[in-house]
């Protein structure tokens, strides 16, 4: 009897999360949590790359916490949780799910719907990525990177450095909330560009699959 109740509870959670992400509309994320369930040292101790995930969809609360930690607004002046060259915002975070794809709008802490189709298989050649509940894609908007007299190579280096700090923020919040993730450089750049409708000045850098860890 208890097993049946547990199964029905899990099933209802899955359907609830699926309904939230199946609308094809912009999604208001819950406010990020005021506290973490673990301290920084514990999160660093737990930080690891995880490549196996359960089939349970990530909850809106967990996704909200991770996106805010990644590169959300943490000050009244609109500055972000991750540092960047000249303090400018030139890394976009896309989120790919079974139901569609979204762009994280950090100032409003919401997801902007851009595609109502499952393109998870187009993100990376590594099979475990498509099996994750959600996939984050870090994209550099080269037109937004400052430095009038800087070369494209320098700007791209700055973009990679900024994406790295964002990735570590994702790792730490994921570790704090019992979520598995992995920074993946082996991406399908051309397919990502086509799937997400990116312009020629937008460069996909990395992907990070997200999912609950196997026990």
């Amino acid at each position: 009897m208890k097993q049946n109740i547990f199964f029905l509870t899990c099933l209802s959670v899955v359907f609830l999360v699926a309904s939230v992400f199946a609308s094809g509309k912009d999604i208001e994320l819950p406010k990020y949590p005021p506290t973490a369930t673990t301290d920084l040292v514990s999160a660093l101790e737990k930080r690891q790359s995880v490549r196996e995930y359960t089939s349970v969809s990530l909850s809106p609360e967990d996704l909200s916490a991770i996106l805010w930690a990644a590169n959300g607004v943490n000050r009244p002046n609109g500055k972000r949780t991750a540092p960047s060259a000249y303090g400018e915002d030139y890394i976009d975070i896309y989120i790919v799910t079974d139901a569609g794809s979204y762009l994280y709008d950090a100032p409003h802490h919401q997801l902007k719907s851009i595609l109502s189709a499952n393109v998870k298989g187009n993100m990376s050649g590594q099979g475990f990525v498509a099996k994750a509940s959600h996939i984050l894609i870090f994209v550099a908007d080269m037109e937004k990177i400052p430095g009038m007299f800087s070369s494209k190579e320098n700007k791209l280096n700055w973009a990679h450095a900024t994406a790295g700090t964002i990735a570590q923020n994702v790792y730490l919040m994921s570790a704090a909330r019992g979520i598995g993730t992995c920074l993946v450089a082996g991406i399908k750049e051309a397919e990502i560009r086509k799937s997400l409708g990116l312009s020629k000045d937008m460069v996909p850098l990395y992907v990070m699959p997200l999912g609950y860890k196997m026990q």
Side-chain angles (χ1 to χ4, degrees):
M1 181 66 177
K2 290 182 178 179
Q3 288 181 332
N4 289 339
I5 294 174
F6 177 76
F7 173 75
L8 291 173
T9 301
C10 290
L11 194 61
S12 64
V13 170
V14 170
F15 279 125
L16 176 61
V17 173
S19 65
V20 169
F21 288 98
S23 63
K25 300 179 180 179
D26 296 348
I27 297 173
E28 296 286 342
L29 291 167
K31 183 173 174 56
Y32 61 86
T35 59
T37 56
T38 187
D39 59 69
L40 177 59
V41 172
S42 297
L44 285 166
E45 290 175 338
K46 295 175 182 176
R47 194 222 66 81
Q48 60 180 309
S49 292
V50 177
R51 296 174 177 81
E52 293 184 354
Y53 317 105
T54 71
S55 59
V56 178
S57 296
L58 213 64
S59 73
E61 290 76 18
D62 281 334
L63 182 62
S64 171
I66 288 173
L67 288 173
W68 175 78
N71 201 24
V73 174
N74 67 347
R75 282 160 282 178
N77 62 3
K79 295 300 183 180
R80 306 292 186 86
T81 58
S84 62
Y86 295 91
E88 297 293 332
D89 304 319
Y90 46 78
I91 300 293
D92 290 325
I93 302 178
Y94 288 81
I95 302 92
V96 174
T97 74
D98 288 331
S101 301
Y102 303 84
L103 174 64
Y104 177 49
D105 177 356
H108 298 97
H109 196 55
Q110 65 178 211
L111 303 181
K112 308 294 289 186
S113 178
I114 61 171
L115 181 68
S116 298
N118 184 350
V119 294
K120 287 164 65 175
N122 298 346
M123 301 296 108
S124 172
Q126 300 190 40
F128 74 92
V129 173
K131 296 178 182 178
S133 170
H134 292 63
I135 305 171
L136 305 184
I137 302 94
F138 301 154
V139 176
D141 189 336
M142 300 301 289
E143 285 196 329
K144 292 181 180 179
I145 300 179
M148 183 181 300
F149 302 107
S150 296
S151 67
K152 182 177 180 180
E153 181 181 4
N154 279 342
K155 290 184 177 183
L156 195 57
N157 287 338
W158 297 344
H160 279 287
T162 301
T165 64
I166 292 172
Q168 183 70 336
N169 287 353
V170 172
Y171 266 118
L172 292 177
M173 183 59 82
S174 295
R177 299 183 73 88
I179 297 164
T181 190
C182 180
L183 182 63
V184 178
I187 63 173
K188 297 180 179 179
E189 181 175 346
E191 292 188 41
I192 289 175
R193 287 181 177 278
K194 182 177 180 180
S195 297
L196 301 181
L198 303 181
S199 71
K200 62 180 179 62
D201 295 312
M202 302 186 76
V203 182
L205 302 175
Y206 306 98
V207 302
M208 290 190 81
L210 299 170
Y212 294 116
K213 294 188 291 185
M214 296 283 193
Q215 297 299 322

